[in-house]
């Protein structure tokens, strides 16, 4: 088994020590480096080649948001999971739009943080449907009409089946759940998701969900 390579980024040494201890108990996870600020991340990524960066949002010099945007703009960027103390936060939303794979709360049980790292490494987001909806609702408001028009224009690039899959991703369903609901194999779902990402020039499923929400395709608004 190839271990998942993880880089820890947090300005609090006690938090880093706790995360390192927590991850150290998992045979399939290897801590390859630690950083105290977002400004150190790019050089460490070049040196350690992590699969996942587990990073605090709030740091004194270069915060996790800026570091995420810089990382995700690079080719072959690692996945980024953000640590936060907030359930719904404009800063978290900004990071998700920049390409972060999701976020975990700092008071999340250790086993769930480890599971989140595994899921992200496997290509799945780490936002539950409830938390996804909280973030999306939090995003609604300013310039909503303009955002909706732009999102619908982008969604027009999808065929009907891809659009159906995108909506189920927006509802927070996992691949197996989508397969059951839309009567297709899990492999076919994965193929559709990959095509959606490519057609819409998105990084991950969370960004699909945000675009679907912006287009007004969730709940009863499917026009």
């Amino acid at each position: 088994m190839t271990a998942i390579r993880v880089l820890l980024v947090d300005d609090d040494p006690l938090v880093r020590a706790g995360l390192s201890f927590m991850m150290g108990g998992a045979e399939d996870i290897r801590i390859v480096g630690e950083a105290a600020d977002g400004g150190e991340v790019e050089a460490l990524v070049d040196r350690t080649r992590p699969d996942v960066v587990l990073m605090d949002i709030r740091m004194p010099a270069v915060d996790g948001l800026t570091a995420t945007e810089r990382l995700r703009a690079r080719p072959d960027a690692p996945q980024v999971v953000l640590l936060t103390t907030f359930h719904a936060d404009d800063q978290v939303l900004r990071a998700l739009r920049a390409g972060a794979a999701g976020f975990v709360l700092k008071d999340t049980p250790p086993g769930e943080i480890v599971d989140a790292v595994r899921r992200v490494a496997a290509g799945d987001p780490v936002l539950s449907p409830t938390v996804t909806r909280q973030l999306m609702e939090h995003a609604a408001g300013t310039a909503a009409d303009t955002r909706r028009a732009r999102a619908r224009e982008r969604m027009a690039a999808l065929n009907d089946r891809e659009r159906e899959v995108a909506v189920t991703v927006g509802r927070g369903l996992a691949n197996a759940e989508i397969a059951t609901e839309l009567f297709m194999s899990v492999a076919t779902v994965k193929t559709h998701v990959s095509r959606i990402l490519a057609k819409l020039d998105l990084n991950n499923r969370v960004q699909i969900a945000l675009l679907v929400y912006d287009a007004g395709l969730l709940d009863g608004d499917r026009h």
Side-chain angles (χ1 to χ4, degrees):
M1 178 185 298
T2 302
I4 301 166
R5 299 170 62 83
V6 177
L7 173 64
L8 302 177
V9 186
D10 196 295
D11 61 319
D12 188 336
L14 291 179
V15 171
R16 295 200 308 273
L19 290 170
S20 183
F21 178 78
M22 181 193 311
M23 300 290 173
E27 295 182 357
D28 59 335
I29 293 177
R30 178 185 169 197
I31 304 300
V32 296
E34 297 184 15
D37 188 78
E40 305 171 33
V41 171
E42 289 188 271
L44 270 174
V45 165
D46 289 338
R47 187 159 67 247
T48 63
R49 300 295 178 185
D51 302 301
V52 178
V53 178
L54 188 58
M55 179 156 52
D56 189 20
I57 286 183
R58 290 173 173 81
M59 290 178 284
V62 177
D63 62 31
L65 300 174
T66 302
T68 296
E69 290 170 342
R70 290 175 180 174
L71 277 181
R72 296 304 300 176
R74 294 159 49 117
D76 301 320
Q79 297 294 339
V80 178
V81 179
L82 293 161
L83 293 166
T84 181
T85 55
F86 296 90
H87 282 272
D89 190 324
D90 283 328
Q91 293 183 321
V92 173
L93 185 70
R94 171 186 154 194
L96 296 179
R97 291 191 186 280
F103 75 94
V104 293
L105 301 176
K106 285 193 173 182
D107 60 358
T108 298
E112 292 183 23
I113 295 180
V114 172
D115 183 60
V117 169
R118 291 179 176 134
R119 287 173 55 191
V120 167
D124 292 327
V126 294
L127 298 176
S128 70
T130 298
V131 174
T132 300
R133 181 59 55 84
Q134 287 177 332
L135 282 170
M136 290 176 176
E137 289 175 351
H138 191 68
T142 305
D145 290 341
T146 299
R147 191 168 59 241
R148 174 165 295 192
R150 290 175 179 171
R152 290 187 174 184
E153 183 178 349
R154 294 183 68 187
M155 291 290 293
L158 305 181
N159 62 38
D160 289 343
R161 200 56 162 165
E162 290 164 348
R163 184 184 177 96
E164 287 180 325
V165 172
V167 170
T168 57
V169 170
R171 288 166 46 206
L173 301 187
N175 286 340
E177 295 170 320
I178 295 172
T180 299
E181 180 162 322
L182 298 182
F183 304 102
M184 61 178 69
S185 69
V186 171
T188 301
V189 173
K190 291 180 179 179
T191 297
H192 280 307
V193 170
S194 295
R195 288 175 179 168
I196 292 166
L197 291 171
K199 282 187 175 183
L200 301 180
D201 192 27
L202 300 175
N203 285 300
N204 55 44
R205 295 165 69 103
V206 175
Q207 289 187 328
I208 295 175
L210 290 169
L211 187 63
V212 167
Y213 176 80
D214 283 348
L217 299 178
L218 297 180
D219 299 323
D221 187 2
R222 298 176 182 271
H223 305 294

